[in-house]
Amino acid sequence: MDLFTPLTLGTLALRNRIVMAPMTRSRAGTDGLPTGIMVDYYRQRASAGLIISEGIAPSADGLGYCRTPGIYNQAQIDAWRSIIDAVHSEGGCMVAQIMHVGRVANALNKPAGSRTVAPSALRARGEMYTDQQGMLPFEQPLELPLEEIPRVIQEYRIATENSFAAGFDGVELHCTSGYLPAQFLCSGTNKRTDGYGGSAANRARFALDVLAAMASVDGAGRVGMRICPDNPFNDIQDDDPQRTFEYLLGEAGKLDLAYLHVMRYPKGRVDNVALGRRFFGDRLIGNESYILDEAQQAVAAGKLTAVSFGRNFIANPDLVERWQDGLELATFDLATLYTPGAEGYSSYPRARA
Ligand SMILES: Cc1cc2nc3c(=O)[nH]c(=O)nc-3n(C[C@H](O)[C@H](O)[C@H](O)COP(=O)(O)O)c2cc1C
């Protein structure tokens, strides 16, 4: 068994175990609309066993970064359909990463009338880029009233329905990196005194309710989850991440999800991969700074079921072929990582014509 061995995860059929990790590339249009160059970009990378899309907002409130896509209206669904059709026409498999940023936002990056919401009215320290004014502080969020939480959970269900209507093979809950589910999970960002705050069980309730809502659409076999316990990204911290994530995974493990996607770094107080293996050992996608040899060994030894690669896919649309045939990898240009247009995005050539 190695990275080139086909694999079934829930209802997802992967032709190899080289997964493209989710990467926000800021190539969408205004109001979260996917663009034509996104069709080219994803089509070029369809030989991955599975493509996990960039983070996609389930609602206008869920947008926070400039030029990022949504999946909450018909125009967006139609635009995504062109992307999925292109990936499928190349024999690929693709899931939508559903990402609600919560408080990690600036109003200039969001459609008019949308709000910035969080479990508690605590502003994240730090800044984010806006096209209009460069770097600006994160927005002060509104605390979600208890009676509004079911509506936010339903946004994830509708985003899942919309993803399937567009043709995505599955959906992944983005449950790390300081975004909304992580804001609920972690004690530093969740000061609620109702059923969604306090104990680990209460803080995990939001993510578990969301997973159940996503699984209600067409079964848990089309739903995955991404975690990185003790990841401080976007000003997030938890008093006891081991306990929080043990609880979350213990409950999520009962749902028969397609997979768990675990980032091993930054290394905090938790051994993320070991924790993931305890609950999802037979369907665990590992990530973060893997190179080919190490990934091959982890899969051969049964430590991981598959491995996802982010940065390696940026300048190597044909990463699978390059590794299969021992070809050299290209390096990407940092300057065009998030800039508009095809340059440094869909412009990277294959090794062989
Ligand atoms: C440009 C860029 C954008 C990213 N955007 C996302 C994202 O939208 N969602 C997410 O879960 N991770 C995101 N990540 C993290 C990657 O999925 C991945 O965890 C990271 O690149 C480490 O994997 P690698 O060492 O194979 O690159 C992003 C990473 C990069 C480099």
Side-chain angles (χ1 to χ4, degrees):
M1 173 133 55
D2 69 7
L3 279 173
F4 302 104
T5 311
L7 170 67
T8 302
L9 291 173
T11 63
L12 308 172
L14 283 63
R15 52 185 165 177
N16 59 62
R17 295 164 190 236
I18 298 171
V19 175
M20 179 171 158
M23 283 185 292
T24 292
R25 301 297 309 277
S26 289
R27 259 63 176 201
T30 49
D31 289 347
L33 198 63
T35 53
I37 54 172
M38 290 167 63
V39 178
D40 301 335
Y41 169 79
Y42 283 113
R43 185 208 312 269
Q44 291 162 353
R45 287 155 182 79
S47 57
L50 175 68
I51 295 177
I52 303 172
S53 78
E54 62 205 280
I56 306 176
S59 61
D61 288 355
L63 286 168
Y65 292 96
C66 64
R67 292 174 269 110
T68 50
I71 191 145
Y72 52 84
N73 62 38
Q74 193 59 47
Q76 293 165 349
I77 296 169
D78 292 343
W80 278 114
R81 188 176 297 117
S82 307
I83 294 171
I84 314 309
D85 285 352
V87 169
H88 283 166
S89 74
E90 302 286 336
C93 180
M94 183 164 179
V95 304
Q97 186 185 59
I98 309 299
M99 166 173 159
H100 188 311
V101 297
R103 68 180 190 156
V104 179
N106 187 278
L108 289 179
N109 292 334
K110 299 171 75 116
S114 62
R115 303 171 316 158
T116 293
V117 297
S120 299
L122 297 170
R123 185 199 286 257
R125 282 170 298 179
E127 295 185 321
M128 81 182 339
Y129 178 79
T130 66
D131 279 330
Q132 297 89 336
Q133 297 181 30
M135 298 302 286
L136 287 177
F138 291 119
E139 207 69 34
Q140 169 66 43
L142 300 167
E143 176 176 321
L144 273 170
L146 182 59
E147 58 276 14
E148 273 199 42
I149 293 180
R151 186 184 53 75
V152 181
I153 293 164
Q154 290 313 309
E155 289 174 359
Y156 280 91
R157 181 185 56 75
I158 294 165
T160 302
E161 287 174 0
N162 292 347
S163 299
F164 295 161
F168 277 107
D169 298 289
V171 285
E172 175 178 290
L173 172 62
H174 195 342
C175 197
T176 178
S177 305
Y179 303 122
L180 189 63
Q183 290 159 31
F184 270 96
L185 267 178
C186 294
S187 55
T189 38
N190 183 343
K191 302 297 179 192
R192 302 182 72 91
T193 54
D194 56 24
Y196 286 94
S199 64
N202 280 357
R203 283 181 278 112
R205 192 181 309 280
F206 179 78
L208 291 167
D209 284 357
V210 166
L211 283 175
M214 292 167 80
S216 75
V217 177
D218 194 31
R222 292 180 80 177
V223 180
M225 173 165 69
R226 183 170 225 216
I227 62 162
C228 182
D230 212 17
N231 177 2
F233 189 57
N234 283 322
D235 191 24
I236 204 106
Q237 78 85 29
D238 189 36
D239 289 341
D240 191 349
Q242 181 77 28
R243 200 153 146 250
T244 303
F245 278 85
E246 268 175 8
Y247 182 81
L248 175 71
L249 296 190
E251 293 302 305
K254 298 174 186 166
L255 288 177
D256 222 8
L257 299 175
Y259 65 83
L260 182 73
H261 187 185
V262 176
M263 292 166 70
R264 58 177 173 167
Y265 302 137
K267 242 189 166 53
R269 292 162 284 178
V270 182
D271 182 335
N272 297 350
V273 175
L275 187 67
R277 282 182 68 196
R278 253 173 64 198
F279 296 96
F280 287 85
D282 56 342
R283 51 213 148 113
L284 188 64
I285 304 176
N287 171 255
E288 184 66 51
S289 301
Y290 279 94
I291 54 166
L292 177 61
D293 282 353
E294 191 187 10
Q296 283 286 31
Q297 283 163 21
V299 169
K303 289 185 175 156
L304 295 173
T305 321
V307 181
S308 78
F309 302 89
R311 287 163 291 179
N312 277 329
F313 265 105
I314 295 176
N316 299 283
D318 51 347
L319 183 65
V320 174
E321 291 84 344
R322 289 191 199 223
W323 273 341
Q324 206 148 24
D325 298 344
L327 306 175
E328 236 177 79
L329 297 194
T331 53
F332 68 90
D333 172 22
L334 206 55
T336 48
L337 210 45
Y338 300 111
T339 46
E343 189 54 38
Y345 182 59
S346 51
S347 63
Y348 291 108
R350 308 173 64 83
R352 295 197 181 109

